[in-house]
Amino acid sequence: MPEPNDDAYAQQDHLLNNYRRIIEISQQLSSTYDLQSLLRKIVIAANELIHTEASAILLMDDSTGKLRFAMSSNIKPHEMDEMTVPLDGSIAGWIFTHGEPRVIENASADPDHYQGVDERLSFHTRNLLGVPMKTPTRVLGVVQALNKIDNQRFSDDDIAMLRTLASQAAVAIENARMFQQSDFIAELVHELRNPLVALKASTTLLLRPDLPSEKHEDIIHTMQFETERLIGLTDDFLNVARLESGRVQLDITSFSMHRLLTESTQVIAQQADDKGISISLEGEDLHVAADRGKIKQVLINLLSNAVKYNIPQGTIYLRTQATHENGDQYLQIDVTDTGYGIPEKHQKHMFQKFFRVPTTANMERGTGLGLTVCKGIIEAHSGKIWLRSEEGQGSTFSFTVPLSL
């Protein structure tokens, strides 16, 4: 027959296991410097430790003075873009302002529960536990655990556990931000140096009285090229910075992918004609729900690369097909070239900032940020982007975006 204190021992054992787990999670967080990966690990950990249906991280947006959804286990990235929660008249705002945890056992009856998010997502919040994410100097945001599984109530142990996680998360987020900022600035300075040096050398040459007049035009063309390169670098840096901060704004509409593919090929048509490259389009014309301008940016980048690294008289194949993942419907777009291909050892680095395949780096000059921007845009749409390539046989870059239902 069970001893009277068996339940107490079981509860204590469960609590010890949770604390062992949070130590493991803290070690994972402290070694993660990619902000989006870090936020994703935090919400997964909150669900696991507190046993809830959903969890979310809201961070303070200094530009608006509101809390914005930075990551959620039940909201797709592109749905979070314009979701903000005011400090006044919201539970998250109260937690952020007071710097204290709060438990709401009946959210629908609480006057501070902000209904806007539930209404937008058609999600019913029954109960919630929220705690502030605090560093020694400031509050960064709020972690919320929503809907305790099996209609259970939040316990004191749940509060203590989520506070511990939030404390570790806040430090990890600050470290990731500082790491990205310093790393990004170092990369920016390095990449800007070459075109600036070229511009300085060009102006020095132009000032020489003994420079032949026929050389003036060549130097001016060099200056024009380097100036355009600087503009491209700064544009790409701004795009990467917005994507990495999670503050990219998406204007989601329904549109024909084939029509957008046709528009995008027209942009690079002259570039393709100069190399005798033909372009074909196959697959069903379906409508997608995405930011048309940003998807066009992805397509033009991939098409431009397919021209640059193709062989003369080569071909670019564009294909579309419907696909499913985790119950959601997507359209997959493939951009295939018949070019030089990418060695297998370099393929895993292709979406990293400033990476260029050594064997083709001198063939075409670019910023080294194009594919990084593409990856950020597609992931902001809850899609995926990947490549398949064989050296000497060409490459296929594929991505998915949600179908318009």
Side-chain angles (χ1 to χ4, degrees), residues 25 34 43 62 95 134 156 190 193 242 297 340 345:
I25 291 168
D34 177 77
V43 296
D62 294 329
I95 295 167
K134 296 194 292 188
D156 290 341
H190 176 75
R193 189 176 185 278
R242 291 190 190 104
Q297 182 180 350
Y340 306 101
K345 64 180 179 180

Side-chain angles (χ1 to χ4, degrees), residues 59-355:
L59 296 177
M60 170 52 65
D61 187 340
D62 294 329
S63 64
T64 64
K66 296 181 179 180
L67 293 166
R68 63 177 180 83
F69 279 86
M71 186 61 65
S72 175
S73 63
N74 68 326
I75 308 175
K76 294 180 180 179
H78 69 270
E79 294 175 335
M80 293 189 290
D81 289 332
E82 296 180 1
M83 282 191 188
T84 58
V85 175
L87 294 183
D88 295 330
S90 70
I91 296 168
W94 187 96
I95 295 167
F96 180 88
T97 305
H98 291 77
E100 294 294 335
R102 191 167 174 186
V103 175
I104 305 296
E105 289 297 351
N106 186 358
S108 60
D110 193 289
D112 283 340
H113 179 51
Y114 182 67
Q115 301 286 347
V117 176
D118 278 8
E119 290 171 359
R120 184 165 179 176
L121 296 174
S122 299
F123 180 82
H124 176 58
T125 301
R126 297 191 310 273
N127 58 3
L128 69 86
L129 164 61
V131 300
M133 290 193 297
K134 296 194 292 188
T135 68
T137 57
R138 64 186 183 122
V139 180
L140 301 183
V142 175
V143 181
Q144 289 185 337
L146 311 172
N147 294 353
K148 185 81 171 174
I149 291 173
D150 296 330
N151 291 318
Q152 297 293 311
R153 296 173 67 88
F154 290 106
S155 66
D156 290 341
D157 289 339
D158 290 331
I159 298 171
M161 194 66 58
L162 195 58
R163 290 186 78 164
T164 303
L165 175 64
S167 176
Q168 297 295 321
V171 174
I173 289 171
E174 284 283 79
N175 288 341
R177 284 174 168 174
M178 287 189 290
F179 179 85
Q180 287 188 346
Q181 186 179 39
S182 60
D183 190 43
F184 200 65
I185 290 172
E187 290 168 342
L188 173 62
V189 171
H190 176 75
E191 291 297 320
L192 291 179
R193 189 176 185 278
N194 287 338
L196 287 172
V197 167
L199 285 170
K200 181 181 178 181
S202 297
T203 55
T204 302
L205 287 172
L206 283 174
L207 291 171
R208 289 181 54 175
D210 59 339
L211 182 70
S213 57
E214 62 269 17
K215 293 292 184 181
H216 282 213
E217 187 174 349
D218 291 340
I219 293 173
I220 289 170
H221 284 159
T222 298
M223 294 176 71
Q224 183 180 26
F225 175 84
E226 295 297 345
T227 302
E228 290 173 353
R229 187 178 170 206
L230 276 172
I231 293 170
L233 270 170
T234 53
D235 286 345
D236 283 347
F237 268 111
L238 287 172
N239 282 327
V240 171
R242 291 190 190 104
L243 290 163
E244 288 190 342
S245 71
R247 296 183 183 181
V248 62
Q249 297 293 313
L250 300 180
D251 180 17
I252 305 297
T253 60
S254 176
F255 59 88
S256 160
M257 180 55 72
H258 271 218
R259 184 173 297 176
L260 183 60
L261 284 164
T262 301
E263 284 181 24
S264 301
T265 57
Q266 291 170 353
V267 174
I268 54 93
Q270 187 59 55
Q271 187 183 357
D273 288 343
D274 291 344
K275 291 183 70 171
I277 293 171
S278 60
I279 302 174
S280 71
L281 173 58
E282 305 170 1
E284 188 177 359
D285 183 16
L286 296 172
H287 280 61
V288 298
D291 185 315
R292 197 176 192 277
K294 287 185 170 57
I295 298 302
K296 186 173 183 178
Q297 182 180 350
V298 171
L299 287 171
I300 291 174
N301 187 286
L302 296 181
L303 285 165
S304 180
N305 285 348
V307 173
K308 288 178 184 177
Y309 304 108
N310 214 329
I311 58 173
Q313 315 305 317
T315 305
I316 296 173
Y317 299 97
L318 301 175
R319 300 183 183 89
T320 60
Q321 61 177 330
T323 184
H324 297 78
E325 185 173 341
N326 298 326
D328 294 321
Q329 294 181 312
Y330 292 88
L331 184 66
Q332 178 177 322
I333 298 93
D334 300 324
V335 180
T336 301
D337 65 63
T338 54
Y340 306 101
I342 302 166
E344 185 176 357
K345 64 180 179 180
H346 297 311
Q347 292 179 22
K348 63 182 179 181
H349 303 296
M350 289 303 295
F351 296 99
Q352 296 175 359
K353 291 195 293 286
F354 303 112
F355 180 79

